[in-house]
Amino acid sequence: MRVLYPGSFDPLTLGHLDLIERANSLFGEVVVAVLKNPDKTPSFPLEQRISQITESTQHLTGIEIIEFEGLTVRCAAESRVDLILRGLRAMSDFEYELQIAHTNRSLAADFETIFLATQAHHSFLSSSVVKEVARYGGNISHMVPSVVAKDLIRLFNHE
Ligand code: ADP
């Protein structure tokens, strides 16, 4: 099976990576689709987010990393995937994710969205929390892959 894992990944956290690894062993091929949102200025440019994911997934086979813009279902069709994958950390994720899943299904009934629950020890991780900790010089080594930790330290000038 081939699954699409779309997201902003600004930046990739160990929670995202855990989901990629588990989807990889459950389904086989994982297409990580990195969102290029013209309305938002990300902390890390698209190319850097892609290289963070490339470097952090080197130990895996069957991972494809692409950029995407616009509708996720269109990206899913173009990438010829069987499923769309999203992660769930808490009930607060669930309401939003359910709405998106219903929207996507109404646009393209041929794509199912499946959810993987985060591991408990990653459930507090989000890209924005990690950036907040890094901004004030906190330890992020247990939150993000090493390449991302380096980039965050550089971003906030804590070198
Ligand atoms: P988006 O802007 O699309 O929400 P994110 O990069 O924040 O993009 O998240 C992409 C996906 O990864 C979402 O399904 C989100 O719920 C999931 N996710 C985010 N953080 C974690 C985590 N710590 N553990 C597991 N899944 C996560």
Side-chain angles (χ1 to χ4, degrees):
M1 281 239 219
R2 191 170 154 85
V3 300
L4 184 79
Y5 182 35
S8 310
F9 308 107
D10 185 34
L12 181 79
T13 69
L14 288 180
H16 293 131
L17 184 59
D18 176 57
L19 226 72
I20 294 170
E21 288 171 342
R22 284 159 58 211
N24 185 226
S25 69
L26 280 167
F27 306 109
E29 289 177 49
V30 182
V31 182
V32 183
V34 186
L35 183 66
K36 181 178 171 186
N37 185 346
D39 300 332
K40 276 196 200 162
T41 309
S43 304
F44 294 101
L46 184 75
E47 298 69 28
Q48 196 173 6
R49 283 179 277 149
I50 289 177
S51 61
Q52 289 167 347
I53 302 169
T54 306
E55 202 169 320
S56 308
T57 56
Q58 265 172 358
H59 59 297
L60 304 171
T61 49
I63 309 295
E64 206 176 294
I65 301 152
I66 62 168
E67 61 177 71
F68 90 106
E69 201 173 358
L71 296 177
T72 304
V73 286
R74 202 166 286 153
C75 176
E78 284 167 8
S79 311
R80 292 168 286 100
V81 296
D82 306 293
L83 298 166
I84 297 170
L85 169 72
R86 296 284 290 177
L88 290 177
R89 285 164 294 189
M91 280 308 285
S92 48
D93 277 345
F94 182 75
E95 283 192 26
Y96 172 73
E97 292 294 344
L98 194 62
Q99 186 183 16
I100 300 290
H102 284 314
T103 306
N104 286 341
R105 204 155 167 56
S106 78
L107 293 172
D110 38 349
F111 289 114
E112 292 287 356
T113 300
I114 52 139
F115 301 100
L116 281 181
T118 180
Q119 297 205 61
H121 64 282
H122 288 140
S123 62
F124 66 100
L125 288 177
S126 71
S127 299
S128 44
V129 160
V130 161
K131 282 185 277 194
E132 205 59 15
V133 175
R135 177 187 302 276
Y136 297 109
N139 176 23
I140 45 167
S141 60
H142 57 302
M143 301 181 184
V144 291
S146 55
V147 57
V148 176
K150 278 187 214 134
D151 287 350
L152 280 166
I153 289 166
R154 205 169 302 128
L155 180 71
F156 294 114
N157 270 318
H158 289 303
E159 287 190 306

